[in-house]
Amino acid sequence: MGNDHSKKKSHSESKNELETHENQSNPQLDEYFSRISDGKDEISAEKRLFDQDLGESLLNYFAGSKTEKYITRQQFQQKFTPLYGTSTDIYVKILQPVYHFIKVCSDSAGASAIQGDEQFIKNLVENMTCGKKGDEATQSIMSWRRENCEKFTQAVQNRPNPDYASDILTPLQMWFVQSSLPNFYFPGKPSETPGDGHWTPLYTSLQHGISTNRFETMVFDYRGPTVTIFRLKDGRVVVLATDQEWRHSGSRFGGPFTSFFEISPRIRRIDEANSIYCNLKIRTAAYGLSFNTSELKIGKDFDEVLDIEVWGCAGAGTLAEQQKLKNWQKQQAEKHKKVPLPGNWDDNPDKTLLEMAGFKFSNERAAMEMEAKRQEQIENNNASQSDKSQVSEK
């Protein structure tokens, strides 16, 4: 039996030596180690490659001891690869306990906590761990991240160019919202890291005041996803992320990426399509703005709102298209002042009934496109006549 045991041990050692040799044969990994170790065979803890909190956790991960002061080339080669794998569960494990985990992830993202974030962090810890401790807490955090906030650990791998500007949310809260949203809200970069996708401010009550007319003017006709943040008089701060453009309608809208977040006084998230109701104009339908039937209810005049801001989450082309449409609408309004029209289609009961049945009208867009084609045709005809005139003169 003793000989059998020694054979198994020898086989295991051979396997480890083979794996080590394979790692050592990776020229890119070896070159990277030499670069950050300044050509030496070990990396000293005194060489601060990362923030202190992250650096201490990585040293413990590589060296296997909090008292160790060096990372050897072999330790680095054996344990580096999982840190840049497709799964970031490894960071949940090595950055425990949970308060340390939140601090390292948010600091890496450029969204460090500020005064006033204490209750939010406490709520976040409760959501992550569900009151569990030790290894059970770690498993709970990994499940929470996969189900609710998949990008929470991304910044530890890839440092972003942060943009968490908000008049209502703190940088930590804004980063949390961005980390919770799918890539649909960060167009153009399939592997978007939160903070890299700079959103466009469409409307903010700090600058524009609380006005349903300004909300409609600045937010409607933006053909892309938006994130709207409300600070309400009942003490709540909530976020409404919608993957469809805002509009007046007698029926609910919102696609599969529509989400509702409560940020304060507690943390909650609800994902639900066909959940947003917005009608501030159609007289024959109920006025107001809401999510679901009970989560959020705002009246026609926004009396329940203390602050509001709306962010456009599509590219610059979407904002340009919105502005182009608004300029065309303004031109048409000037024309209509001179030529009386037979009634107002927006107040027409037939249109209202069709909208309540789910029809979405885009006459203005179609008319604008027709007008553009007509102008193009006129220009082409003028150019053609000019060419003919030049030929006849010759």
Side-chain angles (χ1 to χ4, degrees):
M1 293 180 64
N3 291 336
D4 290 341
H5 176 73
S6 61
K7 289 180 180 178
K8 291 180 180 179
K9 182 178 179 180
S10 175
H11 175 74
S12 176
E13 290 174 347
S14 299
K15 182 179 179 182
N16 289 336
E17 289 175 358
L18 177 61
E19 291 175 347
T20 300
H21 176 74
E22 290 175 347
N23 283 328
Q24 287 177 332
S25 66
N26 185 331
Q28 291 181 332
L29 193 58
D30 197 53
E31 180 183 350
Y32 182 52
F33 178 86
S34 297
R35 187 163 66 248
I36 62 178
S37 66
D38 297 326
K40 300 178 181 178
D41 286 331
E42 57 189 19
I43 302 173
S44 170
E46 297 176 357
K47 183 178 178 62
R48 299 209 175 274
L49 303 174
F50 308 98
D51 297 335
Q52 182 175 354
D53 292 311
L54 175 58
E56 291 177 355
S57 295
L58 289 176
L59 179 62
N60 183 35
Y61 166 71
F62 279 113
S65 171
K66 293 182 179 180
T67 60
E68 188 61 56
K69 299 300 181 183
Y70 297 94
I71 302 173
T72 67
R73 185 182 296 269
Q74 182 178 353
Q75 289 169 336
F76 182 83
Q77 291 168 339
Q78 286 179 332
K79 294 186 175 181
F80 178 83
T81 301
L83 295 177
Y84 281 83
T86 55
S87 172
T88 56
D89 281 347
I90 183 67
Y91 289 102
V92 180
K93 297 176 182 178
I94 69 176
L95 296 177
Q96 292 303 304
V98 61
Y99 280 97
H100 179 73
F101 169 68
I102 294 173
K103 185 179 188 304
V104 171
C105 290
S106 58
D107 286 353
S108 299
S112 299
I114 61 175
Q115 185 175 358
D117 276 326
E118 294 84 0
Q119 186 60 49
F120 177 76
I121 294 173
K122 183 179 179 180
N123 291 342
L124 192 57
V125 168
E126 179 59 33
N127 273 37
M128 286 180 171
T129 64
C130 299
K132 298 176 181 178
K133 303 291 183 180
D135 291 341
E136 289 185 350
T138 302
Q139 292 298 323
S140 178
I141 294 170
M142 286 192 288
S143 298
W144 174 88
R145 185 191 65 81
R146 295 190 198 106
E147 296 172 6
N148 298 283
C149 199
E150 191 172 2
K151 301 183 181 74
F152 198 90
T153 51
Q154 275 192 1
V156 183
Q157 279 188 335
N158 304 296
R159 297 299 179 96
N161 176 21
D163 181 14
Y164 307 115
S166 173
D167 296 330
I168 301 175
L169 301 182
T170 68
L172 178 65
Q173 293 168 342
M174 189 62 148
W175 165 69
F176 167 75
V177 171
Q178 292 191 9
S179 298
S180 302
L181 291 172
N183 289 334
F184 182 81
Y185 288 86
F186 307 92
K189 296 181 179 180
S191 59
E192 190 66 63
T193 299
D196 279 343
H198 292 190
W199 291 344
T200 303
L202 301 180
Y203 169 69
T204 170
S205 57
L206 187 66
Q207 179 179 351
H208 307 111
I210 297 176
S211 166
T212 54
N213 288 333
R214 291 195 184 103
F215 177 78
E216 177 185 2
T217 300
M218 297 179 172
V219 177
F220 281 40
D221 297 315
Y222 181 85
R223 301 185 70 181
T226 57
V227 170
T228 304
I229 306 169
F230 298 95
R231 190 197 309 277
L232 304 172
K233 291 182 179 179
D234 63 8
R236 291 189 299 161
V237 175
V238 300
V239 177
L240 196 53
T242 176
D243 54 3
Q244 295 181 353
E245 64 182 288
W246 284 91
R247 58 183 181 271
H248 299 296
S249 177
S251 59
R252 295 188 176 274
F253 61 91
F257 299 122
T258 299
S259 298
F260 171 86
F261 298 87
E262 182 176 338
I263 302 298
S264 178
R266 54 179 177 167
I267 297 176
R268 291 189 305 137
R269 173 180 181 171
I270 301 173
D271 301 324
E272 185 176 343
N274 298 318
S275 52
I276 299 175
Y277 181 88
C278 181
N279 174 38
L280 310 173
K281 188 173 182 180
I282 303 172
R283 296 178 181 176
T284 52
Y287 288 122
L289 185 157
S290 67
F291 176 86
N292 207 306
T293 56
S294 59
E295 295 297 336
L296 177 66
K297 288 185 178 181
I298 297 174
K300 178 185 176 183
D301 299 320
F302 284 9
D303 290 335
E304 298 83 356
V305 179
L306 288 175
D307 294 295
I308 179 176
E309 63 184 23
V310 184
W311 297 87
C313 306
T318 302
L319 188 65
E321 182 182 345
Q322 181 200 34
Q323 189 57 50
K324 183 178 179 182
L325 176 58
K326 290 188 181 301
N327 291 339
W328 182 86
Q329 290 171 334
K330 185 176 180 180
Q331 294 174 1
Q332 297 305 304
E334 293 297 327
K335 290 181 182 180
H336 293 165
K337 288 180 182 178
K338 302 174 183 179
V339 183
L341 297 177
N344 188 342
W345 174 237
D346 283 327
D347 295 333
N348 191 304
D350 291 336
K351 180 186 178 186
T352 301
L353 290 173
L354 290 171
E355 284 178 330
M356 293 179 68
F359 286 90
K360 178 184 174 184
F361 294 92
S362 57
N363 294 345
E364 289 181 336
R365 295 189 193 280
M368 183 180 70
E369 293 172 358
M370 291 176 63
E371 177 70 16
K373 289 181 180 179
R374 190 177 71 84
Q375 291 293 338
E376 183 180 357
Q377 186 175 6
I378 291 174
E379 292 175 0
N380 291 337
N381 289 340
N382 290 339
S384 177
Q385 290 176 0
S386 176
D387 292 342
K388 289 180 180 179
S389 175
Q390 292 177 1
V391 171
S392 62
E393 288 178 359
K394 293 180 179 180

